Amino acid sequence: EAGVAQSPRYKIIEKRQSVAFWCNPISGHATLYWYQQILGQGPKLLIQFQNNGVVDDSQLPKDRFSAERLKGVDSTLKIQPAKLEDSAVYLCASSFEAGVYEQFFGPGTRLTVL
Amino acid sequence: AQTVTQSQPEMSVQEAETVTLSCTYDTSESNYYLFWYKQPPSRQMILVIRQEAYKQQNATENRFSVNFQKAAKSFSLKISDSQLGDTAMYFCASYTGTASKLTFGTGTRLQVTL
């Protein structure tokens, strides 16, 4: 079974530029999550999708971050414009359903904002 | 609000020895779940073990076991017969129905040495 795929693995941009990350969850998983993991901290949930609908985006900085999951499969997370404090690893995860089902994580995208 | 605290930023253990990672949590809910996740260097985060709060018996998965002290709100992870492949960041996390999301601690970096 293929795991959660993410691209790119690494990205370096200047502040005020825009960037997009892509995630393809495990086939058949209805729930998709985007986490932000700042160095020295645990992952923090940014947004959760159930199929193509948003379940929780309470910690998503909506003035600069946006995410979509068209057709309820793969998803993109965008930052526009980026700030220095956005430097982090962005993790995508998926689970069969919402709730306490096991979350399977992708390898992450390491973003450096200069 | 849920909080998860890991007070050991780094730990080291020799191969074949036993090590215990500490975690405390805070929640006002009676039904919740606790998890330990492992994040090896440059690899995906994976679930190590989970514990349902309503179960009195401590969870065990091969060399990994937990000591769940509900009254003390403590959830420690014991790794027996440590192997070089256990070298990783270990995150403790909690899940409640009210929050409906994982809340992670700051992690403990474990180094297994020869």
Side-chain angles (χ1 to χ4, degrees), chain A residues 75-89:
Chain A
S75 175
T76 56
L77 176 69
K78 297 180 182 178
I79 307 175
Q80 181 179 3
K83 292 185 175 182
L84 297 177
E85 58 261 35
D86 298 332
S87 294
V89 175

Side-chain angles (χ1 to χ4, degrees), chain B residues 21-80:
Chain B
L21 309 184
S22 301
C23 172
T24 58
Y25 61 93
D26 190 17
T27 179
S28 58
E29 300 199 23
S30 58
N31 189 26
Y32 53 91
Y33 300 79
L34 299 167
F35 305 84
W36 279 99
Y37 278 86
K38 171 185 177 181
Q39 189 176 40
S42 301
R43 293 180 60 186
Q44 275 97 316
M45 188 177 300
I46 58 172
L47 178 65
V48 175
I49 199 165
R50 66 181 266 172
Q51 173 81 41
E52 290 84 356
Y54 62 85
K55 290 186 177 179
Q56 292 186 332
Q57 187 172 6
N58 289 324
T60 299
E61 287 287 343
N62 301 314
R63 298 182 296 106
F64 299 88
S65 61
V66 298
N67 183 5
F68 175 44
Q69 300 291 324
K70 193 170 184 177
K73 296 186 177 178
S74 170
F75 182 62
S76 60
L77 175 70
K78 185 172 83 171
I79 306 174
S80 303

Side-chain angles (χ1 to χ4, degrees), chain A residues 19-31:
Chain A
V19 64
F21 312 127
W22 174 82
C23 172
N24 190 32
I26 292 173
S27 178
H29 280 193
T31 310

Side-chain angles (χ1 to χ4, degrees), chain A residues 2 12 16 20 29 35 38 50-51 60 63 65-66 78-79 88 92 96:
Chain A
I12 300 174
R16 292 187 289 274
H29 280 193
Y35 290 90
I38 293 174
Q50 180 70 13
N51 296 310
L60 186 73
D63 58 332
F65 286 64
S66 64
K78 297 180 182 178
I79 307 175
C92 179
F96 179 70

Side-chain angles (χ1 to χ4, degrees), chain A:
Chain A
E1 177 183 84
V4 176
Q6 289 188 249
S7 67
R9 292 295 309 276
Y10 305 92
K11 190 74 177 179
I12 300 174
I13 61 173
E14 305 254 333
K15 60 183 179 183
R16 292 187 289 274
Q17 286 187 322
S18 62
V19 64
F21 312 127
W22 174 82
C23 172
N24 190 32
I26 292 173
S27 178
H29 280 193
T31 310
L32 185 147
Y33 313 80
W34 282 102
Y35 290 90
Q36 180 191 57
Q37 186 177 14
I38 293 174
L39 186 65
Q41 300 180 18
K44 180 185 80 171
L45 180 69
L46 291 176
I47 189 167
Q48 176 183 340
F49 291 95
Q50 180 70 13
N51 296 310
N52 61 351
V54 175
V55 174
D56 182 354
D57 63 356
S58 58
Q59 298 194 87
L60 186 73
K62 298 180 185 64
D63 58 332
R64 299 183 301 105
F65 286 64
S66 64
E68 60 182 12
R69 191 184 183 197
L70 299 176
K71 302 180 182 178
V73 182
D74 56 351
S75 175
T76 56
L77 176 69
K78 297 180 182 178
I79 307 175
Q80 181 179 3
K83 292 185 175 182
L84 297 177
E85 58 261 35
D86 298 332
S87 294
V89 175
Y90 290 85
L91 299 170
C92 179
S94 70
S95 62
F96 179 70
E97 282 290 347
V100 293
Y101 288 90
E102 180 177 351
Q103 293 186 24
F104 294 83
F105 287 80
T109 297
R110 183 177 298 276
L111 174 67
T112 302
V113 182
L114 302 175

